């Protein structure tokens, strides 16, 4: 039997076989320090571990380190129609310092994991690169992932093999600030996306950050959350609608569909949003 360690952030998933998988960052033994002169991290360590329970959370077994290095945030985890558990994990890369993303895939309900190729398109800075991915399974078994960037929009990646490899990477049509979004497939079959848009509603400018954060001056607008839906597997989206405003910051959303059409949306890292929305009021 393994006890649950002290952790700072975690993702949880109950598989269709009833196994609970917990993925978490090791905050207790982590470190982060950035050298502004060199533009590199001098200390970068926050490993990612997994643990699982076969009995509803009473006993936890198979604790293992999935990723050794620095992971800044964990956003999403899904199980595919064929049973693979897939989790995007960002990683710090040096020379130049930036973040990139890969996925880890398990075919045995979290007992073992395999890593995909690394999605990396450069940039430099302590908040730079392609990271904090959210993903969903499309028709035909393809996986679709949206990645945070400093390039005024999400970039999208596609996998044809359940997340073991990502062969298509391109800018999406979705404008976004430098903040993560959250994707889900709803019971209706629609996709839903919640995120911080590039600019506040009705505006065409917002303060930008560059320098040590990124080579590219990026909007970090996090004062509004918007929602949009897709009925064609992400090819097009409904017009974004703002549903929450907080001038102090409101970002890092999560979506839970409590019953068909009833969406519970929360934030925990920035803001303390707890709201219930009905799909039919927006879609």
């Amino acid at each position: 039997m393994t006890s649950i360690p002290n952790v700072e952030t975690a993702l949880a998933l109950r598989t269709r076989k009833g196994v609970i998988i917990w993925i978490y960052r090791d905050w207790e033994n982590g470190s982060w320090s950035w050298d502004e002169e060199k533009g590199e991290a001098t200390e970068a360590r926050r490993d990612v571990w997994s643990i699982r329970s076969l009995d509803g959370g009473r006993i936890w077994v198979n604790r293992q380190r999935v990723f050794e290095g620095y992971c800044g945030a964990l956003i999403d985890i899904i199980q595919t129609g064929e049973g693979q558990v897939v989790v995007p994990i960002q990683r710090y890369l040096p020379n130049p310092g930036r973040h990139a993303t890969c996925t880890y895939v398990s075919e045995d309900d979290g007992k073992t994991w395999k890593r995909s190729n690394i999605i990396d398109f450069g940039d430099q800075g302590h908040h730079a690169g392609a990271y904090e991915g959210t993903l969903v399974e499309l028709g035909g078994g393809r996986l679709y992932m949206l990645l945070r960037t400093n390039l005024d929009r999400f970039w999208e990646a596609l996998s044809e093999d359940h997340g073991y490899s990502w062969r298509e990477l391109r800018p999406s049509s979705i404008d976004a600030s430098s903040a993560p979004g959250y994707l889900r497939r709803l019971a209706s079959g629609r996709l839903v996306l919640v995120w911080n848009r590039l600019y506040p509603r009705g505006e065409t400018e917002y303060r930008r950050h560059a320098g040590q954060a990124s080579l590219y001056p990026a909007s970090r607008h996090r004062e509004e959350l918007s929602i949009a839906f897709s009925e064609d597997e992400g090819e097009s989206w409904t017009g974004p609608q703002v549903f929450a405003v907080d001038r102090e910051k409101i970002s890092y959303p999560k979506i839970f569909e409590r019953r068909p059409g009833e969406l519970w949306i929360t934030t925990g890292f920035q803001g303390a949003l707890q709201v219930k929305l009905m799909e039919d009021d927006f879609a």
Side-chain angles (χ1 to χ4, degrees):
M1 183 178 94
T2 304
S3 62
I4 299 174
N6 292 325
V7 297
E8 187 260 353
T9 59
L11 300 171
L13 173 76
R14 184 188 292 272
T15 71
R16 286 189 286 276
K17 293 181 180 179
V19 177
I20 300 174
I21 302 172
W22 205 31
I23 306 287
Y24 63 92
R25 298 188 301 155
D26 182 1
W27 185 269
E28 184 176 354
N29 299 302
S31 61
W32 174 262
S33 179
W34 184 264
D35 187 317
E36 294 194 1
E37 184 175 340
K38 294 180 180 178
E40 295 281 349
T42 55
E43 295 181 26
R45 187 65 178 268
R46 194 151 293 144
D47 299 342
V48 177
W49 292 71
S50 74
I51 195 169
R52 65 193 201 127
S53 175
L54 311 179
D55 61 1
R58 289 184 292 273
I59 297 175
W60 294 87
V61 297
N62 303 124
R63 180 173 179 261
Q64 61 183 298
R65 182 163 49 198
V66 177
F67 163 68
E68 183 176 356
Y70 181 85
C71 173
L74 294 167
I75 302 297
D76 207 355
I77 183 171
I78 67 168
Q79 185 173 29
T80 70
E82 293 190 11
Q84 294 87 1
V85 177
V86 187
V87 55
I89 294 180
Q90 74 175 82
R91 57 177 57 212
Y92 172 78
L93 298 177
N95 303 317
R98 77 256 186 223
H99 300 279
T101 293
C102 59
T103 48
Y104 282 76
V105 184
S106 176
E107 296 195 351
D108 51 14
D109 283 16
K111 189 174 183 180
T112 61
W113 298 88
K114 292 182 179 179
R115 196 205 81 187
S116 76
N117 59 304
I118 297 174
I119 301 172
D120 173 27
F121 57 57
D123 204 351
Q124 181 176 5
H126 51 66
H127 280 71
Y131 57 115
E132 294 183 344
T134 180
L135 75 168
V136 70
E137 186 173 21
L138 302 180
R142 294 182 302 155
L143 297 188
Y144 177 70
M145 180 161 56
L146 291 177
L147 293 158
R148 171 183 171 180
T149 77
N150 292 321
L151 303 176
D152 291 358
R153 62 190 58 252
F154 291 124
W155 277 49
E156 57 187 17
L158 287 165
S159 174
E160 303 281 351
D161 57 5
H162 313 297
Y164 285 111
S165 63
W166 299 87
R167 301 304 184 197
E168 295 183 55
L169 177 65
R170 58 186 177 240
S172 78
S173 62
I174 306 166
D175 73 82
S177 71
S178 183
Y182 199 79
L183 275 169
R184 268 298 168 264
R185 167 86 63 187
L186 300 178
S188 65
R190 294 185 180 104
L191 303 184
V192 61
L193 172 66
V194 173
W195 81 111
N196 301 106
R197 296 193 67 195
L198 183 61
Y199 303 125
R201 177 172 43 188
E203 302 293 329
T204 58
E205 293 292 337
Y206 193 79
R207 60 185 178 273
R208 290 177 175 262
H209 300 262
Q212 294 300 320
S214 168
L215 286 176
Y216 309 104
S219 164
R220 279 177 168 59
H221 167 236
R222 297 183 177 185
E223 298 174 8
E224 298 173 349
L225 279 174
S226 295
I227 190 168
F229 298 84
S230 176
E231 298 195 25
D232 55 9
E233 302 295 272
E235 293 294 328
S236 64
W237 293 86
T238 59
Q241 299 180 69
V242 174
F243 68 91
V245 178
D246 187 333
R247 298 308 177 194
E248 293 298 321
K249 285 189 181 179
I250 185 169
S251 63
Y252 287 82
K254 303 288 184 183
I255 304 169
F256 173 66
E257 189 175 18
R258 181 171 180 264
R259 56 173 63 95
E262 181 181 315
L263 311 182
W264 288 9
I265 301 176
T266 62
T267 60
F269 178 61
Q270 290 184 339
L273 178 71
Q274 297 181 14
V275 64
K276 179 178 77 173
L277 303 181
M278 302 306 294
E279 178 183 2
D280 287 345
D281 291 339
F282 289 85

